[in-house]
Amino acid sequence: MSAPTAPPRSGLAGRLLAAIALVMAAGAVTAWAVASLVGPAVFHEHMLRAGLSDHDEAVLHAEEAFRSASSLALGFALAAAAAASLAVSLVLTRRIGRSLAVLSSAASSLGGGRYDSRVPPPQMGREFDDLADAFNSMAARLQEGERLRGRLLADVAHEIRTPVATLTAYLEAIEDGVQDLGAETVALLRDQASRLTRLSDDLTAVTRAESGDLALDREHVAPGDLVAAAVAASRERAAERGVDLREDSSASLPEVLVDRLRLAQVLDNLVTNALRHTPPGGTVTVGAASAGRDVTLTVRDTGEGIAAEDLPHVFERFYRADTARDRAHGGSGIGLAICLALVHAHGGTLSAASPGPGAGSTFTVTLPTG
Ligand SMILES: Nc1ncnc2c1ncn2[C@@H]1O[C@H](COP(=O)(O)OP(=O)(O)OP(=O)(O)O)[C@@H](O)[C@H]1O
Ligand SMILES: [Mg+2]
């Protein structure tokens, strides 16, 4: 049994020609009807009004001349209109067809995974240019998404590799009797396992926050309270490190409508980073101030600072400026990506500034008050 074949589809040229043929036929029939039914009668009427007799030889001649002149004029006009329509439809079909062919081949190659496919502006009017623009921006978004997906997978694989390799090596050594399962080994295994757990928690958090799938439990909060809570939560850790942790809030700031716990998470991440990157004897200041209609929360430190080339990247997932040292502390480089997503979910912005290495850093959260 043969598969049912789809009926042949007519192309753009065929359809355009059929439409023009229809218009021409309607025009021709109307013109012929008017010329043969109305024209001679009107002409005859005028002859009679001019005082000529019905059966006059001259009248019959004149009427015959009128009829053949009108049919000749009509025939030429129709032929010229048909030729012009054919030419116009061929030119238009060719130009539209060419633009559509470019677009459809770009769409096919995009569908085949070539995300750098783009189309040039067809210059066939606004609608076609809009279509090309929409296609190009869709392709650009897909390309960016694909790039991020690839990098995320590579980063996750990289982060998992070390703890998994360590766990495997230790387990093999224990099985072979080379290593005994003492308290120290258990602690090390536990440490690697908790690193994996934290990585998975962080990935869940950042994916949730970035996808907007995050329920915010908003309430009116005084910015000073957020600062005081963040400082209280980190006071002990700062003391252990020998870092002076200060609070610096302007009085009488307008309240902000935020999820208190999420904002605490943001400030805690920023203060943890600041403490980690500030040597003993340094200062970390958490502050709140007003900036026009907004309120800013800042975490400023006098620590290592951030090099200009790293600044634009610190909010990217898995980005760590000084890879060796940052990795030694066990962080996965996701903290700031989570902060950024949480602040964006509140309709705010988060920025980083640093005069350079050794000169400290300032992270600023800006929240709308209205
Ligand atoms: N206050 C700071 N001073 C200097 N560098 C900083 C500071 N805060 C962040 N950075 C740099 O930005 C990088 C990214 O920070 P982020 O908080 O995202 O990751 P992390 O702290 O390394 O790991 P995680 O937060 O996942 O435990 C850090 O590794 C560090 O290089
Ligand atoms: Mg961090």
Side-chain angles (χ1 to χ4, degrees), residues 13 24 26 29 73 76 81 86 103 142 164 166 221 235 263 273 344 350:
M24 291 281 306
V29 168
F76 274 118
L86 193 69
L103 193 66
L142 283 173
V164 169
T166 314
V221 184
R235 191 164 285 131
L263 252 290
N273 280 353
H344 280 170
L350 174 58

Tab-separated table of all heavy atoms in Angstrom, residues 13 24 26 29 73 76 81 86 103 142 164 166 221 235 263 273 344 350:
chain	number	residue	atom	x	y	z
A	13	ALA	N	3.832	32.487	-6.954
A	13	ALA	CA	3.627	33.046	-8.293
A	13	ALA	C	2.277	32.594	-8.844
A	13	ALA	O	1.508	33.408	-9.371
A	13	ALA	CB	4.749	32.593	-9.217
A	24	MET	N	-8.595	40.696	-13.686
A	24	MET	CA	-8.656	41.052	-15.108
A	24	MET	C	-9.974	40.576	-15.716
A	24	MET	O	-10.614	41.294	-16.494
A	24	MET	CB	-7.503	40.370	-15.873
A	24	MET	CG	-6.140	40.903	-15.534
A	24	MET	SD	-5.775	42.449	-16.365
A	24	MET	CE	-6.064	42.019	-18.031
A	26	ALA	N	-12.852	40.030	-14.236
A	26	ALA	CA	-13.965	40.859	-13.752
A	26	ALA	C	-13.977	42.189	-14.485
A	26	ALA	O	-15.044	42.665	-14.941
A	26	ALA	CB	-13.826	41.059	-12.242
A	29	VAL	N	-15.092	41.645	-18.278
A	29	VAL	CA	-16.534	41.396	-18.425
A	29	VAL	C	-17.316	42.689	-18.227
A	29	VAL	O	-18.212	43.040	-19.021
A	29	VAL	CB	-17.001	40.306	-17.417
A	29	VAL	CG1	-18.523	40.265	-17.350
A	29	VAL	CG2	-16.446	38.959	-17.822
A	73	ALA	N	-10.283	49.917	-28.813
A	73	ALA	CA	-9.685	50.590	-27.641
A	73	ALA	C	-9.719	49.662	-26.427
A	73	ALA	O	-8.726	49.519	-25.690
A	73	ALA	CB	-10.452	51.866	-27.329
A	76	PHE	N	-7.107	46.789	-26.822
A	76	PHE	CA	-5.731	47.236	-26.553
A	76	PHE	C	-5.519	47.486	-25.062
A	76	PHE	O	-4.499	47.116	-24.486
A	76	PHE	CB	-5.418	48.511	-27.362
A	76	PHE	CG	-4.938	48.198	-28.757
A	76	PHE	CD1	-5.651	48.620	-29.878
A	76	PHE	CD2	-3.772	47.447	-28.933
A	76	PHE	CE1	-5.212	48.308	-31.157
A	76	PHE	CE2	-3.333	47.144	-30.219
A	76	PHE	CZ	-4.052	47.571	-31.341
A	81	ALA	N	-3.119	46.076	-19.970
A	81	ALA	CA	-3.283	45.824	-18.528
A	81	ALA	C	-2.806	44.417	-18.176
A	81	ALA	O	-2.123	44.202	-17.166
A	81	ALA	CB	-4.743	45.992	-18.126
A	86	LEU	N	1.085	41.038	-15.561
A	86	LEU	CA	1.969	39.876	-15.592
A	86	LEU	C	3.387	40.277	-15.169
A	86	LEU	O	4.030	39.618	-14.331
A	86	LEU	CB	1.982	39.308	-17.012
A	86	LEU	CG	2.608	37.938	-17.151
A	86	LEU	CD1	1.729	36.900	-16.473
A	86	LEU	CD2	2.776	37.583	-18.637
A	103	LEU	N	14.829	33.628	4.343
A	103	LEU	CA	14.314	33.453	5.702
A	103	LEU	C	14.089	31.974	6.006
A	103	LEU	O	14.457	31.482	7.076
A	103	LEU	CB	12.999	34.224	5.831
A	103	LEU	CG	12.476	34.412	7.237
A	103	LEU	CD1	13.413	35.299	8.025
A	103	LEU	CD2	11.081	35.029	7.202
A	142	LEU	N	18.267	32.524	21.249
A	142	LEU	CA	18.528	31.076	21.277
A	142	LEU	C	20.029	30.810	21.397
A	142	LEU	O	20.465	29.926	22.138
A	142	LEU	CB	18.003	30.414	19.995
A	142	LEU	CG	16.500	30.200	19.948
A	142	LEU	CD1	16.077	29.705	18.580
A	142	LEU	CD2	16.080	29.179	21.013
A	164	VAL	N	33.773	14.211	43.797
A	164	VAL	CA	33.466	12.821	43.456
A	164	VAL	C	34.767	12.008	43.343
A	164	VAL	O	34.862	10.880	43.832
A	164	VAL	CB	32.633	12.736	42.163
A	164	VAL	CG1	32.550	11.306	41.664
A	164	VAL	CG2	31.243	13.270	42.424
A	166	THR	N	37.579	12.621	44.869
A	166	THR	CA	38.123	12.429	46.219
A	166	THR	C	37.372	11.311	46.937
A	166	THR	O	37.996	10.418	47.526
A	166	THR	CB	37.980	13.736	47.038
A	166	THR	OG1	38.409	14.815	46.221
A	166	THR	CG2	38.782	13.699	48.312
A	221	VAL	N	9.278	46.945	55.514
A	221	VAL	CA	10.397	46.783	56.449
A	221	VAL	C	11.232	48.065	56.440
A	221	VAL	O	11.430	48.668	55.378
A	221	VAL	CB	11.302	45.595	56.009
A	221	VAL	CG1	12.400	45.352	57.026
A	221	VAL	CG2	10.497	44.332	55.790
A	235	ARG	N	28.156	39.017	63.511
A	235	ARG	CA	29.068	39.630	64.480
A	235	ARG	C	30.138	38.655	64.969
A	235	ARG	O	31.324	38.967	64.978
A	235	ARG	CB	28.275	40.200	65.659
A	235	ARG	CG	29.135	41.064	66.554
A	235	ARG	CD	28.323	41.926	67.479
A	235	ARG	NE	27.709	43.061	66.800
A	235	ARG	CZ	26.422	43.392	66.925
A	235	ARG	NH1	25.615	42.675	67.677
A	235	ARG	NH2	25.944	44.435	66.285
A	263	LEU	N	15.886	39.094	51.610
A	263	LEU	CA	16.833	40.204	51.713
A	263	LEU	C	17.935	39.872	52.716
A	263	LEU	O	19.101	40.225	52.522
A	263	LEU	CB	16.094	41.482	52.103
A	263	LEU	CG	15.945	42.535	51.011
A	263	LEU	CD1	17.294	43.163	50.712
A	263	LEU	CD2	15.402	41.951	49.711
A	273	ASN	N	30.971	37.202	51.904
A	273	ASN	CA	32.030	37.480	50.912
A	273	ASN	C	32.995	38.527	51.447
A	273	ASN	O	34.215	38.369	51.357
A	273	ASN	CB	31.421	38.014	49.616
A	273	ASN	CG	30.857	36.924	48.737
A	273	ASN	OD1	31.036	35.741	49.023
A	273	ASN	ND2	30.165	37.313	47.685
A	344	HIS	N	16.741	41.192	41.741
A	344	HIS	CA	15.916	41.438	40.543
A	344	HIS	C	14.461	41.058	40.801
A	344	HIS	O	13.553	41.742	40.357
A	344	HIS	CB	16.452	40.651	39.345
A	344	HIS	CG	17.636	41.327	38.709
A	344	HIS	ND1	18.421	40.731	37.759
A	344	HIS	CD2	18.175	42.549	38.924
A	344	HIS	CE1	19.371	41.561	37.396
A	344	HIS	NE2	19.256	42.676	38.098
A	350	LEU	N	21.597	45.318	41.675
A	350	LEU	CA	22.753	45.006	42.527
A	350	LEU	C	23.999	45.306	41.713
A	350	LEU	O	24.122	44.855	40.571
A	350	LEU	CB	22.719	43.519	42.911
A	350	LEU	CG	23.916	42.972	43.672
A	350	LEU	CD1	24.144	43.721	44.978
A	350	LEU	CD2	23.739	41.479	43.965
